[in-house]
Amino acid sequence: MSDEELKSIVAEVVTAPDPFWIENAFYIVKRIVEMPDGTETTIAALVRDDTKPYTNFLFEMNAIVTEVCKRIGIELDKSKYAEQFLGMPFNIPFVKKSDILKR
């Protein structure tokens, strides 16, 4: 998938056509796409250092990134922590699993 195709999908998911949201979501999804299957991380850990994220930003970004990944066939598997109270959804570790559309 090209960067343009991925950016187009991100733009469809972002509710307001705001370049700030599109660029930040694209950056996070691109990092997820590039990591190997089985990698464990969080949405909060993938945010650009220069973004200075705040809680509402992270909630919204978590929803956008999760939906974009679902559309391109990547699962952000949080099942390892399903029965635990870990705090905010963007801080819950996920494991990248690709090709969920082929399963």
Side-chain angles (χ1 to χ4, degrees), residues 55-75:
T55 303
N56 288 343
F57 168 84
L58 289 167
F59 270 115
E60 185 68 25
M61 199 53 61
N62 184 69
I64 292 167
V65 169
T66 300
E67 178 60 27
V68 171
C69 285
K70 183 173 145 185
R71 288 187 186 196
I72 63 173
I74 296 174
E75 178 183 359

Side-chain angles (χ1 to χ4, degrees), residues 43-63:
I43 297 296
L46 297 173
V47 174
R48 274 197 283 228
D49 293 335
D50 64 348
T51 303
K52 297 183 176 75
Y54 51 93
T55 303
N56 288 343
F57 168 84
L58 289 167
F59 270 115
E60 185 68 25
M61 199 53 61
N62 184 69

Side-chain angles (χ1 to χ4, degrees), residues 4-57:
E4 291 77 29
E5 290 172 313
L6 183 56
K7 205 171 259 192
S8 175
I9 293 168
V10 169
E12 288 175 15
V13 174
V14 173
T15 54
D18 184 334
F20 172 81
W21 290 95
I22 293 169
E23 289 300 319
N24 280 287
F26 174 77
Y27 175 82
I28 294 169
V29 172
K30 184 76 174 167
R31 289 185 71 188
I32 292 170
V33 167
E34 292 171 350
M35 60 177 65
D37 274 0
T39 301
E40 184 174 81
T41 190
T42 67
I43 297 296
L46 297 173
V47 174
R48 274 197 283 228
D49 293 335
D50 64 348
T51 303
K52 297 183 176 75
Y54 51 93
T55 303
N56 288 343
F57 168 84

